[in-house]
Every structure is written in structure tokens, then in C-alpha cells.
């Protein structure tokens, strides 16, 4: 738009298609007429003039611009539904404009509500992630505990098996020594006329 233009007339670009990219309106523009960009499906950022004083009805209705909507503090009027249907996510609007212009207040509250919803969604997502993390940690802890329990049971079973083997080995050795007529405790020979004792451990022959 040429620098000399101070006003954009009513429905100037209404219904135009293919308006993509950043729309920068120079600071010399002070008024944008009703429906000036209505239905253009404008995609990209919108940079409004710093000296803008008036925005007409349905001016940007249906536009799909992104970025932050900045309204100048010198704005004196905004027509009804000027930003109707625009997916405004963030906005920088002076409180003087919010308090004096109902349409600006509507945009401000809409953006504030969206931000609150986003924060709530982020909080819920964080809670869900935390719960999922805690559940995963609990599963991992239970898996570790189960593994440790099985390892203890296996170790105990091996200990008992080893104990049983050693006991069987001891009994077999004692039986073998008794059959040979030697001390069943140490394998030493017995000596003695009336009371036979092991020459090594000194135990009496008890079989």
C-alpha cells in the first residue's frame, strides 16, 4: 500500500484470495474501513499502523493471521466483529483501549481465555506425564522387587541343595568309615584294649 494512503476504504480487499505472508500496514494509515479484508483468509502476521485510530466492522473477519495482535494505544474505535473468526492466540492491547472499546475488550478476554485454557491443558498434560512417570517407576520398582525375590528364592534353593549334598556326602563318608572300622568323624584308627579311642580325635568308638 503506497505511503501516501491514509485510509483503506470499505471492502477494499474483501473476498480476495491468495493473500499469504506478512501484512504490514504503514504507520501513515489512520483508518481501515468496514469489511476491508473480510473473507480474504489472510495467512501470516498482521502489523497494524502505530497511528491507527479506527477499525471498521468485520474488517478482518475470517482472516487466519498468526503471531501477536498488537493494537495501538491511539485507537479510538473498533467496529463490531472486526476480528470475528480470527484464531488470535496472543495479543498486546493497552488497557486504556481494552477499557474504552468493547470490541477490544472482547478480543482481550478471548485471548485471555485461550491462554488460560492452554495453561490448563499444559497443567493437565504435565499431571498426566507425571502420573505416567510414576506408574512407570512403580512398574519398574515392582519388576526389580520381583527379580530380587526370585533371585533370593533361587539362592535359597541352591543353598539348601548344597546343604543337602554336603549332608549326604557326610553320611556316605561316615558309613564308609564305619564299614572300614575307622573313626567315622576323622577316619583315624581306633586303639585300646577295653575302650577303643581314635588315635587322632580321641573320640570313643560308638558303633
Amino acid at each position: 500500500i503506497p505511503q501516501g494512503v491514509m485510509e483503506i476504504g470499505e471492502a477494499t480487499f474483501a473476498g480476495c484470495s491468495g493473500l499469504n505472508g506478512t501484512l504490514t500496514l504503514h504507520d501513515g494509515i489512520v483508518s481501515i474501513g468496514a469489511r476491508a479484508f473480510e473473507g480474504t483468509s489472510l495467512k501470516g502476521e498482521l502489523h497494524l499502523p502505530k497511528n491507527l485510530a479506527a477499525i471498521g466492522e468485520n474488517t478482518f473477519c475470517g482472516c487466519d493471521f498468526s503471531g501477536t495482535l498488537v493494537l495501538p494505544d491511539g485507537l479510538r474505535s473498533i467496529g463490531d466483529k472486526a476480528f470475528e473468526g480470527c484464531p488470535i492466540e496472543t495479543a498486546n492491547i493497552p488497557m486504556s483501549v481494552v477499557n474504552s472499546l468493547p470490541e477490544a475488550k472482547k478480543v482481550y478476554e478471548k485471548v485471555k481465555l485461550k491462554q488460560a485454557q492452554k495453561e490448563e491443558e499444559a497443567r493437565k498434560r504435565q499431571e498426566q506425564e507425571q502420573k505416567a512417570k510414576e506408574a512407570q517407576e512403580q512398574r519398574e520398582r515392582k519388576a526389580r522387587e520381583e527379580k530380587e525375590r526370585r533371585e533370593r528364592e533361587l539362592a535359597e534353593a541352591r543353598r539348601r541343595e548344597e546343604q543337602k549334598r554336603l549332608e549326604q556326602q557326610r553320611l556316605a563318608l561316615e558309613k564308609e568309615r564305619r564299614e572300614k572300622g575307622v573313626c567315622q568323624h576323622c577316619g583315624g584308627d581306633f586303639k585300646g584294649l577295653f575302650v577303643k579311642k581314635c588315635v587322632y580325635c580321641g573320640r570313643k568308638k560308638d558303633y
Side-chain angles (χ1 to χ4, degrees):
I1 298 175
Q3 289 292 325
V5 175
M6 297 181 63
E7 297 183 0
I8 297 177
E10 181 177 339
T12 301
F13 299 101
C16 293
S17 59
L19 296 180
N20 295 321
T22 298
L23 173 62
T24 300
L25 303 179
H26 63 77
D27 293 338
I29 297 174
V30 296
S31 176
I32 304 175
R35 299 176 50 246
F37 293 92
E38 182 183 20
T40 58
S41 299
L42 173 67
K43 294 182 182 297
E45 295 187 11
L46 171 65
H47 296 167
L48 294 175
K50 293 180 180 179
N51 299 319
L52 186 64
I55 299 175
E57 296 180 357
N58 298 92
T59 300
F60 297 100
C61 181
C63 291
D64 191 23
F65 57 79
S66 58
T68 299
L69 173 64
V70 179
L71 297 183
D73 54 10
L75 199 59
R76 296 292 177 263
S77 67
I78 302 178
D80 188 42
K81 299 181 180 179
F83 297 95
E84 186 75 13
C86 298
I88 302 171
E89 298 294 334
T90 57
N92 185 356
I93 307 175
M95 290 310 299
S96 59
V97 176
V98 172
N99 294 329
S100 62
L101 303 178
E103 195 65 24
K105 185 176 182 180
K106 185 189 297 183
V107 173
Y108 174 81
E109 291 178 345
K110 181 179 180 181
V111 170
K112 190 175 180 180
L113 178 61
K114 279 188 176 182
Q115 290 175 341
Q117 290 173 340
K118 280 189 173 182
E119 290 174 0
E120 179 65 15
E121 289 173 358
R123 185 189 65 78
K124 288 182 178 179
R125 185 165 55 251
Q126 188 175 11
E127 286 182 354
Q128 291 174 349
E129 290 174 353
Q130 182 63 27
K131 288 180 179 179
K133 181 180 178 181
E134 290 175 355
Q136 179 64 22
E137 289 176 349
Q138 186 176 11
R139 287 192 294 269
E140 291 176 354
R141 184 172 60 255
K142 286 184 176 180
R144 286 195 302 271
E145 291 173 352
E146 179 65 17
K147 181 181 179 181
E148 290 172 358
R149 183 187 66 80
R150 291 179 179 177
E151 288 176 348
R152 287 195 301 270
E153 290 180 351
L154 181 60
E156 178 63 17
R158 287 174 177 171
R159 188 191 66 79
R160 291 179 180 177
E161 186 66 25
E162 179 64 12
Q163 188 177 32
K164 181 179 178 182
R165 185 187 68 79
L166 292 174
E167 180 64 16
Q168 290 175 343
Q169 188 180 49
R170 184 186 66 80
L171 294 174
L173 182 58
E174 289 181 355
K175 180 180 178 183
E176 180 183 355
R177 286 172 175 173
R178 285 196 299 270
E179 291 175 350
K180 290 181 178 180
V182 296
C183 178
Q184 62 180 355
H185 301 290
C186 67
D189 292 327
F190 290 111
K191 285 190 177 182
L193 184 59
F194 298 105
V195 179
K196 295 185 180 296
K197 292 184 178 181
C198 177
V199 296
Y200 293 124
C201 67
R203 287 189 175 89
K204 295 179 180 181
K205 185 176 181 180
D206 55 2
Y207 61 89

